[in-house]
Amino acid sequence: MEKLLEMLQSNGYDAEIIPVDKPTGGAKKGLRIAKGSVGKIYYEVDESDYERVVNDFENSEWVNEEYLINELKDKNNLILCIRKPKKDDVIARPFLDLELYVRSDIEFGTIAINKDNLKELGLTEDELFEIATENSRRMLQVKNLIEMIAGENAEGSPVTLTTNGGYLGASAMVLLEDVFKDCPFGFDVRIIPSSIHEVILFDASELTKEQIEDMNNFIKEVNKNELNEEEVLSDHLYTLKDGKVGM
């Protein structure tokens, strides 16, 4: 896939390898080719697929402006996402040392919403983020959450929060403020930003400052050696205190 990426980029295509969950299961990364804010993802491809991929991309229905506008108008496709800060035309809002943005998941790919897309949607920026947040909240999956709220097995029992994979997982960290706003904890909760796929909560009440620093170093090493750059959020833990996520 990396060789195919090089071939596409050398011929002027805006392409990148991204972490994804293939709809039919199995794939952990895909090759995304973009035209403006619109992208199409290809799975399990290599340099031998160059001509097929290029022909498919250039002739895809989603490149048709009318089709794209109709897909964009379906507000159920909007999802809240989080990433490291970038300089591009995508509408984004700061969140701690990260930033929030919105994607539209359409049948043939994804669209990171920019100002032109916002006009097509007929929404204000506030409405865009409100709708995307509500859509993402419905997708949120929480494992062991009942036990944690009830205080059962709280010590040493991490809680993993995800949505449905892909770009959505890390947005769970933002939604924590809604999930836990009326549920004060009697212990120190820390959040591991393990990747864009998920975040992990754990009880850090008995950890020393040195152990917290060791965990930060561990996260940094995992990010460096185990994850693609596009999957990385940050190299440190976050806190969850009084219903608020912090650093």
Side-chain angles (χ1 to χ4, degrees), residues 190-195 198-202 215 219 237-238:
R190 299 297 172 106
I191 304 168
I192 300 174
S194 50
S195 73
E198 66 179 23
V199 293
I200 300 174
L201 281 69
F202 69 99
M215 290 201 69
I219 293 171
L237 295 167
Y238 293 85

Side-chain angles (χ1 to χ4, degrees), residues 112-206:
I113 302 299
N114 60 25
K115 290 183 178 179
D116 289 337
N117 302 142
L118 194 61
K119 291 179 181 178
E120 298 293 351
L121 283 163
L123 298 174
T124 65
E125 185 176 318
D126 286 343
E127 290 170 338
L128 174 72
F129 279 92
E130 287 172 6
I131 293 171
T133 299
E134 184 57 37
N135 289 344
S136 298
R137 185 181 291 114
R138 290 197 299 268
M139 299 176 188
L140 183 66
Q141 302 168 13
V142 183
K143 302 174 183 177
N144 300 329
L145 180 57
I146 295 177
E147 290 86 352
M148 192 169 190
I149 291 176
E152 299 175 10
N153 301 318
E155 294 185 7
S157 178
V159 177
T160 302
L161 294 99
T162 69
T163 47
N164 66 347
Y167 291 98
L168 294 172
S171 64
M173 186 162 67
V174 185
L175 302 176
L176 287 176
E177 295 189 355
D178 290 334
V179 174
F180 294 111
K181 63 182 178 182
D182 297 321
C183 181
F185 292 103
F187 50 92
D188 182 10
V189 178
R190 299 297 172 106
I191 304 168
I192 300 174
S194 50
S195 73
I196 67 167
H197 300 294
E198 66 179 23
V199 293
I200 300 174
L201 281 69
F202 69 99
D203 177 10
S205 300
E206 298 184 2

Side-chain angles (χ1 to χ4, degrees), residues 24 34 52 72 82 98 121 139 198 202 227 231:
T24 56
R52 177 181 67 81
L72 268 175
I82 192 168
L98 304 169
L121 283 163
M139 299 176 188
E198 66 179 23
F202 69 99
L227 299 180
E231 293 179 285

